[in-house]
Short mmCIF file of all heavy atoms in Angstrom, two decimals:
data_model
loop_
_atom_site.label_atom_id
_atom_site.label_comp_id
_atom_site.label_asym_id
_atom_site.label_seq_id
_atom_site.Cartn_x
_atom_site.Cartn_y
_atom_site.Cartn_z
N THR X 499 31.10 -37.81 -8.89
CA THR X 499 31.07 -39.27 -8.97
C THR X 499 32.48 -39.83 -9.16
O THR X 499 32.87 -40.81 -8.52
CB THR X 499 30.17 -39.71 -10.14
OG1 THR X 499 28.87 -39.15 -9.97
CG2 THR X 499 30.06 -41.22 -10.20
N ALA X 500 33.24 -39.20 -10.04
CA ALA X 500 34.63 -39.63 -10.25
C ALA X 500 35.44 -39.47 -8.98
O ALA X 500 36.28 -40.33 -8.64
CB ALA X 500 35.26 -38.81 -11.38
N PHE X 501 35.20 -38.40 -8.26
CA PHE X 501 35.91 -38.18 -6.99
C PHE X 501 35.60 -39.29 -6.00
O PHE X 501 36.46 -39.77 -5.27
CB PHE X 501 35.50 -36.82 -6.42
CG PHE X 501 36.17 -36.48 -5.13
CD1 PHE X 501 37.47 -36.01 -5.10
CD2 PHE X 501 35.50 -36.62 -3.93
CE1 PHE X 501 38.09 -35.69 -3.91
CE2 PHE X 501 36.11 -36.30 -2.74
CZ PHE X 501 37.41 -35.84 -2.73
N GLY X 502 34.33 -39.72 -5.95
CA GLY X 502 33.96 -40.80 -5.04
C GLY X 502 34.54 -42.14 -5.46
O GLY X 502 34.87 -42.98 -4.61
N LEU X 503 34.69 -42.36 -6.76
CA LEU X 503 35.22 -43.64 -7.24
C LEU X 503 36.74 -43.73 -7.13
O LEU X 503 37.30 -44.82 -7.02
CB LEU X 503 34.82 -43.84 -8.71
CG LEU X 503 33.36 -44.13 -9.01
CD1 LEU X 503 33.13 -44.14 -10.51
CD2 LEU X 503 32.93 -45.45 -8.39
N ALA X 504 37.40 -42.59 -7.16
CA ALA X 504 38.86 -42.57 -7.27
C ALA X 504 39.58 -43.38 -6.19
O ALA X 504 40.55 -44.07 -6.51
CB ALA X 504 39.36 -41.12 -7.28
N PRO X 505 39.17 -43.34 -4.90
CA PRO X 505 39.94 -44.09 -3.89
C PRO X 505 39.81 -45.60 -4.01
O PRO X 505 40.61 -46.34 -3.42
CB PRO X 505 39.34 -43.59 -2.56
CG PRO X 505 38.65 -42.32 -2.89
CD PRO X 505 38.15 -42.50 -4.28
N SER X 506 38.79 -46.11 -4.72
CA SER X 506 38.58 -47.55 -4.79
C SER X 506 39.55 -48.19 -5.77
O SER X 506 40.28 -47.52 -6.50
CB SER X 506 37.13 -47.84 -5.22
OG SER X 506 36.89 -47.30 -6.50
N ARG X 507 39.57 -49.50 -5.77
CA ARG X 507 40.44 -50.23 -6.68
C ARG X 507 40.01 -49.94 -8.12
O ARG X 507 38.84 -50.03 -8.46
CB ARG X 507 40.35 -51.73 -6.40
CG ARG X 507 41.36 -52.55 -7.18
CD ARG X 507 41.24 -54.03 -6.83
NE ARG X 507 42.26 -54.81 -7.51
CZ ARG X 507 42.37 -56.14 -7.44
NH1 ARG X 507 41.46 -56.82 -6.72
NH2 ARG X 507 43.32 -56.78 -8.07
N TYR X 508 40.96 -49.63 -8.94
CA TYR X 508 40.72 -49.21 -10.32
C TYR X 508 39.83 -47.97 -10.38
O TYR X 508 39.26 -47.66 -11.44
CB TYR X 508 40.08 -50.33 -11.15
CG TYR X 508 40.85 -51.62 -11.13
CD1 TYR X 508 40.28 -52.78 -10.62
CD2 TYR X 508 42.16 -51.68 -11.60
CE1 TYR X 508 40.98 -53.98 -10.59
CE2 TYR X 508 42.87 -52.87 -11.57
CZ TYR X 508 42.30 -54.01 -11.07
OH TYR X 508 42.98 -55.19 -11.03
N GLY X 509 39.70 -47.28 -9.27
CA GLY X 509 38.85 -46.09 -9.23
C GLY X 509 39.37 -44.98 -10.12
O GLY X 509 38.58 -44.25 -10.72
N GLY X 510 40.70 -44.83 -10.17
CA GLY X 510 41.26 -43.78 -11.02
C GLY X 510 40.91 -43.98 -12.48
O GLY X 510 40.55 -43.04 -13.19
N VAL X 511 41.00 -45.24 -12.92
CA VAL X 511 40.65 -45.56 -14.31
C VAL X 511 39.17 -45.31 -14.55
O VAL X 511 38.77 -44.70 -15.57
CB VAL X 511 41.01 -47.02 -14.64
CG1 VAL X 511 40.55 -47.39 -16.04
CG2 VAL X 511 42.51 -47.23 -14.49
N ALA X 512 38.33 -45.77 -13.61
CA ALA X 512 36.89 -45.58 -13.77
C ALA X 512 36.53 -44.10 -13.79
O ALA X 512 35.69 -43.68 -14.59
CB ALA X 512 36.15 -46.29 -12.63
N ALA X 513 37.18 -43.31 -12.93
CA ALA X 513 36.90 -41.88 -12.88
C ALA X 513 37.31 -41.21 -14.19
O ALA X 513 36.58 -40.38 -14.73
CB ALA X 513 37.63 -41.24 -11.71
N THR X 514 38.46 -41.58 -14.72
CA THR X 514 38.93 -41.00 -15.98
C THR X 514 37.99 -41.34 -17.12
O THR X 514 37.62 -40.48 -17.94
CB THR X 514 40.34 -41.49 -16.30
OG1 THR X 514 41.22 -41.14 -15.23
CG2 THR X 514 40.86 -40.88 -17.59
N VAL X 515 37.56 -42.60 -17.18
CA VAL X 515 36.64 -43.03 -18.24
C VAL X 515 35.31 -42.29 -18.12
O VAL X 515 34.72 -41.86 -19.13
CB VAL X 515 36.43 -44.55 -18.17
CG1 VAL X 515 35.29 -44.98 -19.10
CG2 VAL X 515 37.72 -45.27 -18.54
N LEU X 516 34.84 -42.11 -16.88
CA LEU X 516 33.55 -41.46 -16.67
C LEU X 516 33.57 -40.01 -17.17
O LEU X 516 32.67 -39.59 -17.90
CB LEU X 516 33.20 -41.50 -15.18
CG LEU X 516 31.88 -40.86 -14.77
CD1 LEU X 516 30.71 -41.62 -15.39
CD2 LEU X 516 31.74 -40.87 -13.25
N VAL X 517 34.59 -39.27 -16.78
CA VAL X 517 34.68 -37.87 -17.19
C VAL X 517 34.89 -37.78 -18.71
O VAL X 517 34.25 -36.97 -19.40
CB VAL X 517 35.80 -37.15 -16.44
CG1 VAL X 517 35.99 -35.74 -16.98
CG2 VAL X 517 35.49 -37.09 -14.95
N ALA X 518 35.79 -38.62 -19.26
CA ALA X 518 36.05 -38.58 -20.70
C ALA X 518 34.80 -38.93 -21.49
O ALA X 518 34.50 -38.32 -22.53
CB ALA X 518 37.18 -39.54 -21.05
#
Side-chain angles (χ1 to χ4, degrees):
T499 304
F501 180 79
L503 289 173
S506 61
R507 187 179 184 183
Y508 305 119
V511 175
T514 302
V515 170
L516 180 64
V517 174

